[in-house]
Amino acid sequence: MPKTKYVFVTGGVTSSLGKGIISASLANLLQARGLKTTIQKFDPYINVDPGTLNPYEHGECFVTDDGAETDLDLGHYERFLNVRTSQANNVTTGRIYQSVIEKERRGEFLGKTVQVIPHITNEIKERMQLLGSTGEYDMVITEIGGTVGDIESLPYIEAVRQLRWELGRENCIVIHLTLVPYLSAAAELKTKPTQHSVKTLMESGINADVLVCRTEHELSKDIRNKIALFCNVKPEAVIQSIDADTIYDVPLMMLDEGLDRVVLDLLTLPDNLEPDLTNWKEFLSRLKNPKQRIRIGLVGKYVELQDSYKSILEAFIHAGAANEVKVEIVSIHSEHLTPENCTEKLEGLHGLLVAPGFGSRGIEGKISAIKYVRENNIPFFGICLGMQMAVIEFARNVIGIKDANSTEMVEDTSNPVISLMDEQKEVENKGGTMRLGTWDCTLSPGSRAHEIYQKDAISERHRHRYELNNLYLEQLTSNGLKATGINPETGLAEIVEIESHPWFLGVQYHPEYKSTVLAPHPLFSAFVQACSQYAKTKN
Ligand code: GLN
């Protein structure tokens, strides 16, 4: 009997039902019962990874320690579980095909015709069991992206069908997420879309074991019984997923609904231990009982789509709870900012974060905003491109290098304070070629960064091509912008700060990727604390 148990999560009726949050919440409950749990996501699109996708297409690209550019749901998995994911936790159709085609070129199929079944499905099954086969996990939860019935999802659904047959239903179950819409004209909840979706899954040979029904209204006993009867599941396996105030409520809602117990029962595992959610509940209580409200501006060029900055927004929620402060994020489109309207647009903010990004659109707006907060002693936090813009602003307006720029924006700029790393100069392909994943950084004693981290050395995740140009370091430092975090291998600046400013810090890496509910990121916590103090001086 295999040691590792598998739970597959599929979606029906429509996208955006919250498969990622349900998967993460279930994982959270199983972990809280002492089971070693991991989550992985299989995405049916043809990009090899989401690294080349515009945030408008698919939201933020999440980066793991090992430098994988992944789906943003992996961020939820890490935030809910406080365990790291890796390249193996996110697989796309592009990666599956790439691997099968490489095997074909090496002649590994011994003259056979290479086909979707069995070659693509075998590759999918192998990867679905990769983390499980390490023996490290009791439970592997796999979220299948997309919606059943989509042409591109079919090989994944077929792979799940085969796995269930091979491993046995007591080792491998399917949770299907559907929508139970409310028709206000009829004042009724409707189960038909769920019935159809379950039927579509059955056409592919899979009978869902558990149905998680997204709804805006409570599901009555009658509705639950009706869904159970028509969809071949036990009534207790019809789980209501009602809209929540915060995604962090969902594990407790799933606990109330008994999702973890139904899953354990189907997988023939004991459910005698109660999940220990003490720390989680403590976090929720701090989150819901703030003692102060503050407003922090988030300047970026993708602010229309909340998912573009998912990890940053979540990191603020963690840091807000840690400080017992409600952080209201005010999104500011960088293209709408000019030196003239900064006072009006940034008025009333208690802090400003300039977001990561690529390309020249909106950068002058970011620079204007940074000048405003630097001069007005408002707490400032710059991440990646935000840090690079802070360096440019300082070079231009404090040192007087009027044409300071990044070679990303003006390739032949005469003062490239931000420039391409040497090893990037040869790079031609866009996908997977940035400086990615975890890199070490040594902190200067006595710096704000050192005081915040309380450590001499840290390692953080990166995703960029450009760097602070060390030819300008001396000039920046002597004028007051110090590099207080340095990569010990390359000597490149990882952190810059202005000592004479109440809180002005820029980081070349992405701290937001490492913030979790149970371990809020120290930089976000310290920034929120600084903004909260600033807010108190304004009241
Ligand atoms: N575009 C910048 C670079 O490539 C910053 C990237 C980012 O903000 N993630 O260096």
Side-chain angles (χ1 to χ4, degrees):
M1 192 181 102
K3 185 181 163 288
T4 307
K5 304 269 185 177
Y6 291 87
V7 176
F8 289 93
V9 181
T10 58
V13 185
T14 166
S15 59
S16 304
L17 291 181
K19 264 188 308 208
I21 302 297
I22 293 294
S23 304
S25 299
L26 172 63
N28 185 303
L29 294 177
L30 297 173
Q31 187 193 48
R33 285 175 178 267
L35 291 166
K36 283 208 193 121
T37 307
T38 189
I39 323 179
Q40 53 188 4
K41 175 142 195 212
F42 280 61
D43 272 314
Y45 52 71
I46 295 170
N47 303 62
V48 171
D49 61 43
T52 52
L53 288 172
N54 181 324
Y56 290 129
E57 287 283 315
H58 213 68
E60 163 194 282
C61 172
F62 186 77
V63 178
T64 58
D65 276 343
D66 65 350
E69 295 178 283
T70 72
D71 186 81
L72 60 78
D73 273 335
L74 269 77
H76 289 310
Y77 306 163
E78 289 203 6
R79 291 187 282 271
F80 274 65
L81 293 187
N82 202 25
V83 291
R84 302 293 175 219
T85 55
S86 71
Q87 182 76 71
N89 295 72
N90 193 194
V91 175
T92 67
T93 293
R95 197 171 289 282
I96 298 280
Y97 271 79
Q98 190 182 44
S99 162
V100 170
I101 290 169
E102 278 166 9
K103 285 181 186 165
E104 186 273 335
R105 292 290 82 184
R106 288 196 297 268
E108 285 181 29
F109 297 115
L110 307 174
K112 289 269 185 226
T113 308
V114 182
Q115 294 179 296
V116 173
I117 300 171
H119 301 98
I120 294 295
T121 46
N122 281 351
E123 183 76 26
I124 295 174
K125 282 195 293 177
E126 205 177 287
R127 286 175 183 256
M128 281 173 168
Q129 296 175 94
L130 196 66
L131 288 167
S133 66
T134 61
E136 270 177 55
Y137 300 103
D138 302 311
M139 195 72 79
V140 176
I141 299 176
T142 306
E143 181 190 344
I144 310 285
T147 309
V148 295
D150 295 349
I151 291 175
E152 50 190 25
S153 298
L154 285 174
Y156 294 96
I157 302 296
E158 170 59 13
V160 173
R161 185 195 68 76
Q162 291 181 16
L163 262 186
R164 245 151 73 103
W165 184 73
E166 286 165 15
L167 300 175
R169 283 181 74 157
E170 70 284 10
N171 296 311
C172 184
I173 62 161
V174 174
I175 298 178
H176 189 57
L177 243 88
T178 71
L179 176 70
V180 178
Y182 180 77
L183 289 193
S184 38
E188 255 185 87
L189 284 164
K190 292 292 182 190
T191 65
K192 194 71 86 185
T194 296
Q195 295 179 42
H196 277 295
S197 180
V198 167
K199 204 168 137 193
T200 307
L201 200 53
M202 281 173 79
E203 281 164 12
S204 300
I206 294 179
N207 208 328
D209 300 292
V210 181
L211 296 175
V212 175
C213 305
R214 182 72 187 261
T215 172
E216 289 172 7
H217 297 268
E218 295 278 339
L219 298 185
S220 66
K221 209 163 182 238
D222 283 352
I223 296 243
R224 289 176 194 247
N225 286 338
K226 183 174 173 185
I227 294 174
L229 181 68
F230 288 149
C231 300
N232 309 320
V233 297
K234 292 181 186 167
E236 60 269 29
V238 178
I239 305 287
Q240 157 184 299
S241 163
I242 203 156
D243 294 353
D245 290 342
T246 150
I247 53 171
Y248 299 116
D249 274 334
V250 180
L252 296 177
M253 287 164 59
M254 290 302 112
L255 181 70
D256 276 351
E257 284 287 307
L259 175 63
D260 54 335
R261 262 177 284 126
V262 170
V263 165
L264 291 172
D265 188 39
L266 287 164
L267 293 171
T268 61
L269 290 169
D271 75 340
N272 40 6
L273 286 174
E274 274 301 305
D276 180 3
L277 293 162
T278 322
N279 295 338
W280 194 270
K281 286 181 182 162
E282 224 173 86
F283 158 80
L284 279 175
S285 133
R286 281 197 308 273
L287 180 70
K288 293 184 175 180
N289 298 294
K291 301 206 163 83
Q292 187 195 6
R293 303 177 83 84
I294 58 169
R295 304 176 73 206
I296 296 180
L298 170 69
V299 178
K301 71 170 172 180
Y302 308 112
V303 287
E304 307 90 315
L305 187 74
Q306 291 284 302
D307 274 359
S308 311
Y309 303 111
K310 196 81 209 162
S311 294
I312 292 177
L313 299 178
E314 298 305 322
F316 272 125
I317 292 176
H318 311 152
N323 284 284
E324 297 182 298
V325 164
K326 162 94 185 129
V327 180
E328 186 197 331
I329 297 296
V330 180
S331 299
I332 303 162
H333 202 300
S334 49
E335 282 183 291
H336 301 161
L337 279 169
T338 62
E340 294 72 40
N341 70 10
C342 267
T343 313
E344 175 210 329
K345 294 251 181 212
L346 306 180
E347 183 127 51
L349 294 180
H350 306 120
L352 189 81
L353 185 141
V354 176
F358 295 85
S360 59
R361 194 159 60 85
I363 67 148
E364 293 305 327
K366 290 183 175 175
I367 292 172
S368 307
I370 296 169
K371 179 169 187 280
Y372 179 84
V373 294
R374 182 180 53 74
E375 291 177 344
N376 290 285
N377 288 324
I378 300 168
F380 166 77
F381 192 11
I383 298 183
C384 209
L385 185 69
M387 174 259 204
Q388 297 174 355
M389 293 305 113
V391 173
I392 294 174
E393 190 282 317
F394 194 88
R396 285 187 190 174
N397 301 323
V398 177
I399 310 180
I401 312 174
K402 290 290 167 224
D403 58 352
N405 218 323
S406 161
T407 53
E408 180 179 4
M409 316 309 164
V410 179
E411 221 182 316
D412 58 352
T413 174
S414 42
N415 275 301
V417 292
I418 305 293
S419 62
L420 208 55
M421 293 180 273
D422 276 343
E423 67 264 32
Q424 283 289 334
K425 290 188 178 143
E426 313 301 318
V427 170
E428 281 180 6
N429 278 351
K430 289 266 184 275
T433 55
M434 282 188 251
R435 173 139 84 112
L436 289 167
T438 287
W439 291 77
D440 290 339
C441 167
T442 313
L443 303 177
S444 313
S447 62
R448 174 166 289 129
H450 190 273
E451 188 191 312
I452 294 168
Y453 277 101
Q454 299 277 314
K455 280 183 188 165
D456 296 332
I458 54 163
S459 74
E460 292 277 7
R461 298 182 195 173
H462 289 245
R463 182 170 189 253
H464 61 109
R465 293 185 201 281
Y466 296 82
E467 298 279 357
L468 191 157
N469 182 346
N470 272 345
L471 294 175
Y472 292 86
L473 194 56
E474 172 51 42
Q475 232 180 330
L476 291 164
T477 308
S478 58
N479 282 281
L481 185 77
K482 291 195 180 148
T484 55
I486 302 280
N487 179 319
E489 262 170 65
T490 58
L492 291 167
E494 299 271 336
I495 307 175
V496 294
E497 45 184 278
I498 300 179
E499 235 166 47
S500 58
H501 188 282
W503 213 96
F504 190 104
L505 199 135
V507 291
Q508 185 57 80
Y509 52 82
H510 291 263
E512 71 275 21
Y513 292 144
K514 279 176 92 166
S515 185
T516 71
V517 165
L518 299 184
H521 196 284
L523 284 180
F524 275 89
S525 293
F527 176 57
V528 167
Q529 193 184 19
C531 300
S532 135
Q533 256 148 28
Y534 177 82
K536 283 178 191 154
T537 67
K538 293 279 137 188
N539 289 337

